[in-house]
């Protein structure tokens, strides 16, 4: 009897461990801004993401191992190896990445390709003084009042104090607007300043390395307050103080800031993410800016909007 029970339990564990849910039910749909069409995102490692966040054994593995820095550091080092260069051509082909705008033509390893620089002409910056531009390529969600809006999952409110880990700063930005730009592994992975201004303060917050994919967020909606992140407070003349925050994620080796000095310009490179998906968050004080209506409407309908670094995403209120 005990032997039969052991066999049954073993079979259950094995079936659960290797069960892969139907990927079609987890497809990420977004709005292509230029055409207003609904598109389906090609997700790198999609089946494993689904397994890690939807399978019981996968969720256990995520909490016990995958979220930890050591895993992301190990994989980041692997992507720095000369052997990883062989993955570049396959990655470009599989995800149809446009390389005509890339500055370099040859890369020593995959991470060098991953943090590739683009020609300035590839991402024109909206120079209108009253315009806030996207800090990165990616897919954006936005809320005009973060205290009153559902954050990604219906019924969940974003905890600004928990995210900032600063009571006074959270009070200053209470009721403000927020934008979340998600970069997937196929995106251009350098991030830039969305406005011109003066750096008032920077802060690093240690945390985990959960995935920032919608596949993961639907299961662990509060992960933005759990992940490693960096905060930069920017003083501006036209938009009040702005918080720009970079968020680490699974397989992100590190967040690297490259800017120098306290005075920064709109469109200037701020830094880059090493291998993996990641996010950039922008937080604005109440009444200072107006987010573009198409982005807000798409968010209310449950869709991210595809954007590119340098294009308009909001304006200052007159």
């Amino acid at each position: 009897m005990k032997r039969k029970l052991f066999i049954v339990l073993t079979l259950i564990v094995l079936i659960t461990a290797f069960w892969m849910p139907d990927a079609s039910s987890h497809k990420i749909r977004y709005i292509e801004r230029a055409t207003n069409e609904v598109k389906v995102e090609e997700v790198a490692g999609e089946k494993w993401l689904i397994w890690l966040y939807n399978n019981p054994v996968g969720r256990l593995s995520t909490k016990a191992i995958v979220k930890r820095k050591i895993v992301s550091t190990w994989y980041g080092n692997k992507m720095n190896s000369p052997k990883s260069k062989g993955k570049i051509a396959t990655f470009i082909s599989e995800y149809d990445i446009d390389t005509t705008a890339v500055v370099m033509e040859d890369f020593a390893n995959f991470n060098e390709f991953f943090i590739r620089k683009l020609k300035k002409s590839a991402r024109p910056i909206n120079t209108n003084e009253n315009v806030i531009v996207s800090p990165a390529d990616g897919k954006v969600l936005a809320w005009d009042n973060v205290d009153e809006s559902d954050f990604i999952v219906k019924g969940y409110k974003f905890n600004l104090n928990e995210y900032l880990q600063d009571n006074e700063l959270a009070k200053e930005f209470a009721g403000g607007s927020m934008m979340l730009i998600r970069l997937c592994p196929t995106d251009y992975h350098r991030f830039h300043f969305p406005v011109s201004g003066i750096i008032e303060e920077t802060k690093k917050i240690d945390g985990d390395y959960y995935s920032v994919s919608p596949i993961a967020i639907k299961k662990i909606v509060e992960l933005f307050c759990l992940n490693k992140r960096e905060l930069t407070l920017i003083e501006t003349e036209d938009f009040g103080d702005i918080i720009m925050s970079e968020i680490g994620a699974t397989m992100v080796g590190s967040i690297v800031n490259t800017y120098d000095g306290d005075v920064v310009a709109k469109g200037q490179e701020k830094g880059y993410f090493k291998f993996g998906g990641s996010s950039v968050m922008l937080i604005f004080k109440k009444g200072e800016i107006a987010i573009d209506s198409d982005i807000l409407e798409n968010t209310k309908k449950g869709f991210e909007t595809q954007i590119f670094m340098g294009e308009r995403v909001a304006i200052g209120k007159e």
Side-chain angles (χ1 to χ4, degrees):
M1 184 67 180
K2 289 182 179 179
R3 187 170 181 273
K4 288 183 178 179
L5 182 59
F6 174 77
I7 293 172
V8 171
L9 289 174
T10 301
L11 286 172
I12 291 173
V13 169
L14 288 172
I15 291 169
T16 304
F18 292 100
W19 168 78
M20 286 285 190
D22 179 12
S24 63
S25 63
H26 295 273
K27 291 295 182 184
I28 300 172
R29 292 174 173 81
Y30 64 92
I31 302 294
E32 184 179 66
R33 197 177 196 188
T35 63
N36 203 36
E37 294 179 6
V38 177
K39 299 283 187 176
V40 176
E41 182 177 316
E42 291 294 327
V43 181
E46 180 181 45
K47 288 185 178 180
W48 285 109
L49 271 175
I50 295 171
W51 183 81
L52 285 170
Y53 290 91
N54 291 271
N55 177 280
V57 176
R59 289 197 296 269
L60 183 62
S61 300
T62 300
K63 290 182 179 180
I65 302 171
V66 178
K67 72 171 186 178
R68 300 191 182 280
K69 180 180 179 180
I70 189 172
V71 176
S72 294
T73 300
W74 167 78
Y75 201 76
N77 290 336
K78 188 176 179 181
M79 292 299 101
N80 280 330
S81 166
K83 292 181 180 179
S84 67
K85 182 176 180 178
K87 298 178 180 291
I88 298 174
T90 302
F91 193 81
I92 290 171
S93 175
E94 186 173 354
Y95 296 104
D96 194 25
I97 295 174
D98 180 13
T99 58
T100 59
V102 179
V103 173
M104 291 177 63
E105 294 183 359
D106 190 33
F107 302 92
N109 54 57
F110 190 88
N111 227 343
E112 200 171 86
F113 163 74
F114 189 78
I115 60 172
R116 59 194 177 275
K117 286 192 174 187
L118 300 181
K119 298 171 185 175
K120 288 186 177 181
S121 58
R123 296 294 183 271
I125 309 299
N126 188 316
T127 56
N128 187 310
E129 290 184 359
N130 197 43
V131 166
I132 297 161
V133 301
S134 173
D137 286 9
K139 297 175 180 71
V140 63
L141 293 169
W143 302 267
D144 53 8
N145 186 334
V146 69
D147 291 346
E148 297 179 358
S149 304
D150 285 332
F151 181 73
I152 301 180
V153 175
K154 188 175 181 180
Y156 180 84
K157 307 299 180 185
F158 184 72
N159 190 320
L160 192 59
N161 184 48
E162 188 177 348
Y163 184 82
L164 299 176
Q165 293 194 6
D166 186 318
N167 292 336
E168 293 304 314
L169 198 59
K171 288 177 183 177
E172 288 183 35
F173 284 84
S177 306
M178 188 170 78
M179 307 183 76
L180 179 66
I181 300 97
R182 176 178 63 87
L183 293 73
C184 69
T186 55
D187 285 322
Y188 165 63
H189 259 68
R190 291 180 180 260
F191 46 86
H192 301 246
F193 288 102
V195 294
S196 297
I198 299 172
I199 304 298
E200 287 188 348
E201 181 184 351
T202 60
K203 180 180 180 181
K204 294 183 179 182
I205 300 174
D206 287 332
D208 296 318
Y209 291 80
Y210 285 104
S211 169
V212 294
S213 167
I215 293 170
I217 294 165
K218 288 178 181 178
K219 292 296 180 182
I220 311 175
V221 67
E222 71 276 15
L223 63 81
F224 292 101
C225 294
L226 299 175
N227 274 13
K228 172 186 175 180
R229 52 202 182 273
E230 298 192 11
L231 308 175
T232 303
L233 186 62
I234 308 170
E235 177 188 346
T236 77
E237 290 186 7
D238 301 313
F239 316 107
D241 286 354
I242 294 172
I243 295 172
M244 180 174 178
S245 175
E246 297 84 46
I247 306 166
T250 304
M251 302 308 174
V252 175
S254 56
I255 300 167
V256 180
N257 276 289
T258 58
Y259 73 94
D260 185 32
D262 296 331
V263 179
V264 298
K266 180 164 65 174
Q268 174 186 337
E269 182 183 300
K270 185 176 188 293
Y272 59 82
F273 295 104
K274 288 191 176 180
F275 185 78
S278 352
S279 293
V280 177
M281 186 178 288
L282 301 177
I283 307 172
F284 308 90
K285 287 186 175 180
K286 184 177 181 179
E288 291 288 351
I289 64 108
I291 297 170
D292 286 357
S293 58
D294 64 320
I295 296 174
L296 288 173
E297 285 303 311
N298 291 341
T299 299
K300 288 177 183 177
K301 294 174 183 176
F303 290 106
E304 296 171 300
T305 304
Q306 184 182 41
I307 54 171
F308 296 95
M309 193 283 291
E311 74 175 82
R312 168 181 155 165
V313 290
I315 59 171
K317 289 188 176 179
E318 300 291 343

